[in-house]
């Protein structure tokens, strides 16, 4: 048991040494392609419910036609449709929520029992217990309770962003699993944006864009790291103390 404090101190020391290596340096970019795993938005149940679309039979005139219907054609469909394609996700969140609840409750009750004449028992009790008069109440009970509560919640979020995402998987029913991240560094602060979710190809516009409200299981993370973000976070020791201390 004596080794536990020593191990905790050693862990904190090694963590501090790792942070010391970043002193005076700007935050580093993540390696290209090292994005968050997007497979968490596709559960096995969803994959099992996906039904493959009916196969399309190509007409004979498509092979001999002078017009090319591929993405490279002038009138071709350039929307993302297969693994590796890129599309733009438009994030315009302007949500407001306000909830207010007020509750009040009260209850009161009383009980009284008296036996004036019952085989002479009240008279005997009167002799033994002078405080109990003849015909008086043998038992009295009363109770009362009350409670009141008041709560309110008010939230307001507004985010306007655009980010390019890549199709990382195509489900058996044709839906696309998309994932994208974007990092921008200004001086010693790095802004990080990550997006993942499932989209339908028909919801992608002709400009190869899709809004966030058409993404199923959308996961949008907007944050950053750097000197300013580091100052806004409590120290490691303080976080451990908040978890361990019971008061």
């Amino acid at each position: 048991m004596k080794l536990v404090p020593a191990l905790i101190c050693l862990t904190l020391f090694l963590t501090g040494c790792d942070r010391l290596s970043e002193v005076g340096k700007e935050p580093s970019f993540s390696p290209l392609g090292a994005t968050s795993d997007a497979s968490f938005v596709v559960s096995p149940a969803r994959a099992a419910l996906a039904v493959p679309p009916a196969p399309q039979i190509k007409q004979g005139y498509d092979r001999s036609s002078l017009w090319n219907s591929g993405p490279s054609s002038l009138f071709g469909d350039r929307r993302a449709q297969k693994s590796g394609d890129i599309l733009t996700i438009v994030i315009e969140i302007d949500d407001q929520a306000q909830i207010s609840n007020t509750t009040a409750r009260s209850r009161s009750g009383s009980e009284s029992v008296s036996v004036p004449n019952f085989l002479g028992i009240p008279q005997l009790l009167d002799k033994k217990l002078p405080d109990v008069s003849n015909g008086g109440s043998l038992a009295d009970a009363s109770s009362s309770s009350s409670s009141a509560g008041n709560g309110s919640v008010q939230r307001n979020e507004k985010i306007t962003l655009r980010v390019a995402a890549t199709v990382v998987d195509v489900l058996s029913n044709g839906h696309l699993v998309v994932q994208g991240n974007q990092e921008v560094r200004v001086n010693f602060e790095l802004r990080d944006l990550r997006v993942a979710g499932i989209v339908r190809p028909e919801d992608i516009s002709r400009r190869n864009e899709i809004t966030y409200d058409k993404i199923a299981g959308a996961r949008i993370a907007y944050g950053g790291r750097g000197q300013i973000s580091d100052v806004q976070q409590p120290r490691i020791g303080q976080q451990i103390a908040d978890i361990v201390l019971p008061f």
Side-chain angles (χ1 to χ4, degrees), residues 151-169:
S152 62
V153 176
Q154 185 173 359
R155 296 175 60 90
N156 187 3
E157 292 95 8
K158 185 174 183 180
I159 301 176
T160 303
L161 297 169
R162 298 169 65 91
V163 60
T166 305
V167 179
V168 297
D169 192 13

Side-chain angles (χ1 to χ4, degrees), residues 30-166:
S30 301
L32 188 62
T35 57
S36 59
D37 186 14
S39 61
F40 66 92
V41 300
V42 187
S43 62
R46 289 184 180 178
L49 291 174
V51 179
Q56 298 180 356
I57 301 176
K58 293 185 178 181
Q59 303 295 333
Y61 60 81
D62 289 341
R63 302 177 182 177
S64 58
S65 176
L66 297 177
W67 295 97
N68 182 11
S69 59
S72 59
S73 173
L74 179 62
F75 301 101
D77 189 0
R78 293 179 174 83
R79 294 178 295 181
Q81 55 185 346
K82 63 181 183 299
S83 180
D85 289 349
I86 297 176
L87 73 160
T88 301
I89 298 178
V90 181
I91 304 172
E92 294 181 352
I93 301 176
D94 190 1
D95 296 338
Q96 294 183 0
Q98 185 173 358
I99 302 174
S100 179
N101 294 322
T102 302
T103 59
R105 184 185 66 176
S106 62
R107 181 181 63 182
S108 61
S110 63
E111 298 290 341
S112 177
V113 179
S114 63
V115 185
N117 296 293
F118 185 70
L119 300 178
I121 295 177
Q123 288 75 13
L124 295 176
L125 292 177
D126 187 41
K127 295 178 180 180
K128 300 294 183 180
L129 301 174
D131 294 335
V132 181
S133 62
N134 186 16
S137 298
L138 295 179
D140 291 330
S142 62
S143 64
S144 63
S145 64
S146 63
S147 63
N150 189 5
S152 62
V153 176
Q154 185 173 359
R155 296 175 60 90
N156 187 3
E157 292 95 8
K158 185 174 183 180
I159 301 176
T160 303
L161 297 169
R162 298 169 65 91
V163 60
T166 305

Side-chain angles (χ1 to χ4, degrees), residues 102-237:
T102 302
T103 59
R105 184 185 66 176
S106 62
R107 181 181 63 182
S108 61
S110 63
E111 298 290 341
S112 177
V113 179
S114 63
V115 185
N117 296 293
F118 185 70
L119 300 178
I121 295 177
Q123 288 75 13
L124 295 176
L125 292 177
D126 187 41
K127 295 178 180 180
K128 300 294 183 180
L129 301 174
D131 294 335
V132 181
S133 62
N134 186 16
S137 298
L138 295 179
D140 291 330
S142 62
S143 64
S144 63
S145 64
S146 63
S147 63
N150 189 5
S152 62
V153 176
Q154 185 173 359
R155 296 175 60 90
N156 187 3
E157 292 95 8
K158 185 174 183 180
I159 301 176
T160 303
L161 297 169
R162 298 169 65 91
V163 60
T166 305
V167 179
V168 297
D169 192 13
V170 180
L171 301 182
S172 56
N173 63 347
H175 293 174
L176 309 178
V177 182
V178 298
Q179 172 185 326
N181 76 307
Q182 185 184 87
E183 294 182 356
V184 178
R185 187 175 66 196
V186 179
N187 294 334
F188 290 88
E189 191 69 19
L190 187 140
R191 190 263 291 164
D192 187 9
L193 171 63
R194 298 177 184 270
V195 180
I198 306 173
V199 302
R200 297 188 305 175
E202 53 267 27
D203 290 335
I204 303 175
S205 67
R206 296 290 298 178
R207 300 177 59 183
N208 198 30
E209 296 179 352
I210 188 170
T211 56
Y212 80 99
D213 55 347
K214 293 183 175 63
I215 303 177
R219 301 293 186 270
I220 302 173
Y222 181 80
R225 60 182 186 272
Q227 294 183 354
I228 298 177
S229 300
D230 185 65
V231 172
Q232 294 176 341
Q233 297 296 326
R235 300 292 85 188
I236 297 176

